Amino acid sequence: MQRQQRFESQRAKMSVVRPFDKLPVLNSAAILLVGTDEDLQRQLAQTILKEKKDFKISIHLATSLPLPAERDHIRPRIDLIVFMINVQSKYGFKNIEASLAHVDANFFLGKVCFLVTGVGRVNHCSVDMSAVRKLGDVYCSPLVFCELELEGIRISTAQRLLRMLQICAGHVPGVSALFFSSLMRSSNDE
Amino acid sequence: MAFLLRKQWALYSVTPLYKFSYANMKEYSRHLSAFVAAEKQKGLAMVVGIDLSIKVIFSTLLGLKGTDRDQAAILVQIASKTQTISGKEEEKVVWSGWFCCVFGDELLENVPEDFICLPLFLANGAETYTAIIGTWFQKTFDCCFSRLTISPLNLAWMAAMWTGYKVDSHAVATELIFSVPCIPQRLDISYAIHPEDAQALWDTVQNTQGEVTQEEVDLFMDCLYSHFHRHFKIHLSATRLVKVSTSIASVHSDGNLKILQSKYLIGVLMLLTELAILQIQ
């Protein structure tokens, strides 16, 4: 999987999101939300903006990758990519699977996270849960399950993402994004 | 068995029945008849002499088992006596319900001795009767009924598997109904496929005989979705599958089933038993 990504990224240099190709800006961080459910994305972005924080944050929304190349020079360095998977839509899931190919392999060292919504309504699930879990395993990234329509859960998810963003942007001394792999170790792995 | 076909059945999952005995079915019939009569009279002024003539009949259904470890299926029918024009008394079945378990044994291994496992319940007839029968069973055998709802994933499995079953006569078009969440009014899309085309597609997708994998089901559905997209530019994968109709049976996500062919009845019941057991656990 990773070798295929490197090959594709060499072929289309401009279309891949890279973690280290730009200089960081002082005391600011950028988060990229990718998903087909635009309303939910916007709600989550607004909730993140409302949270108290001591650094400048820029939130980028996209329905799929690659990001348009024309605006690449004004886009800041992306510190955390959050893929929003809605298990009620197979179309959205396939979209995310295709978008993952446009992310540089170095992002998957803790700077990518999967947000899984829609699991609460069992009768509306169109995506097999084992396929979602397999995605998390293959891309070595944590799965966060939440129901973003409920305000309380949306706020706590926003707080969690903000904390992850701080660590990914390097604002927390002594803690790096590589530590997120401990989030994925389950008791079965012992 | 023919009376099971071409009727609309509401699906329920039932937890194991405590101390149900096949030998006491006559007694159960009597108790339940009295219970139904009493419930029906609630709220009506008591007039002496009117015989509501409702009778409940318990019987076993043979041949609705997967393995020998499955319990025998039970049929409950409510019959009411009516007077025909010629003055003769006629008994008519107004409500039927049956419990069954098909290939459920490996999943119900840990059940203690006094329990009978018949996780799938199907009811046809007035909703009030279903509620009365359900209440009596829940009080008498300490079990729990809940409506069996089916997710789009499982509906896709049924669409793929039932398309694969070979039908000799009256092959009906395979129809899939999708629900699109639209404001203000919900939109339903109906996608009908010629049965021979659907079967040809499934034959090319399916590799090993007798075994169906999630990848094969996904591929089958993806082919149907991309064909629809090519013609109508609508992504069906972004909608929710709510109803599947094939020549074998038709099933709705709310838990409504209609069986059209008796040849593959066991296969249909096997899938539904599995879903019922998953819902109970």
Side-chain angles (χ1 to χ4, degrees), chain B residues 23-89:
Chain B
N24 295 346
M25 296 217 286
K26 271 211 161 65
E27 219 181 282
Y28 297 150
S29 299
R30 265 183 290 130
H31 282 183
L32 191 45
S33 303
F35 186 79
V36 173
E39 287 288 321
K40 282 255 119 184
Q41 279 187 332
K42 260 190 198 166
L44 298 172
M46 263 310 285
V47 182
V48 182
I50 289 195
D51 183 15
L52 280 178
S53 59
I54 298 251
K55 199 167 68 165
V56 178
I57 312 157
F58 271 70
S59 53
T60 45
L61 287 171
L62 300 168
L64 285 179
K65 289 186 179 201
T67 64
D68 280 326
R69 280 170 64 188
D70 287 332
Q71 304 284 356
I74 303 167
L75 173 66
V76 180
Q77 284 174 310
I78 299 181
S80 84
K81 285 206 189 88
T82 51
Q83 285 251 327
T84 59
I85 318 164
S86 52
K88 276 207 311 214
E89 269 203 349

Side-chain angles (χ1 to χ4, degrees), chain A residues 88-91 94 122-128, chain B residues 149-153 214 218 222 235 237-238 240:
Chain A
Q88 296 179 10
S89 163
K90 190 116 204 252
Y91 169 68
K94 284 212 143 40
V122 180
N123 296 334
H124 290 220
C125 284
S126 298
V127 179
D128 191 18
Chain B
T149 44
I150 308 173
S151 71
L153 259 177
Q214 181 71 49
D218 286 339
D222 284 340
H235 288 281
S237 47
R240 179 167 65 101

Side-chain angles (χ1 to χ4, degrees), chain A residues 167-185:
Chain A
I167 295 172
C168 290
H171 292 182
V172 182
V175 184
S176 97
L178 291 168
F179 289 126
F180 288 136
S181 60
S182 64
L183 276 176
M184 296 167 317
R185 222 183 301 130

Side-chain angles (χ1 to χ4, degrees), chain A residues 6-62:
Chain A
R6 281 221 177 91
F7 177 63
E8 277 183 315
S9 71
Q10 272 160 18
R11 268 178 32 193
K13 280 211 155 169
M14 285 315 282
S15 65
V16 170
V17 190
R18 292 174 190 288
F20 300 118
D21 60 347
K22 294 186 193 175
L23 288 173
V25 181
L26 197 60
N27 207 30
S28 68
I31 185 173
L32 171 63
L33 301 179
V34 184
T36 48
D37 197 336
E38 291 173 347
D39 291 331
L40 221 53
Q41 248 184 2
R42 223 173 329 111
Q43 278 182 331
L44 181 61
Q46 280 166 355
T47 313
I48 294 177
L49 282 174
K50 280 201 213 129
E51 283 297 309
K52 200 162 77 86
K53 51 201 164 306
D54 53 2
F55 59 97
K56 280 197 293 277
I57 185 175
S58 69
I59 307 181
H60 298 258
L61 307 178

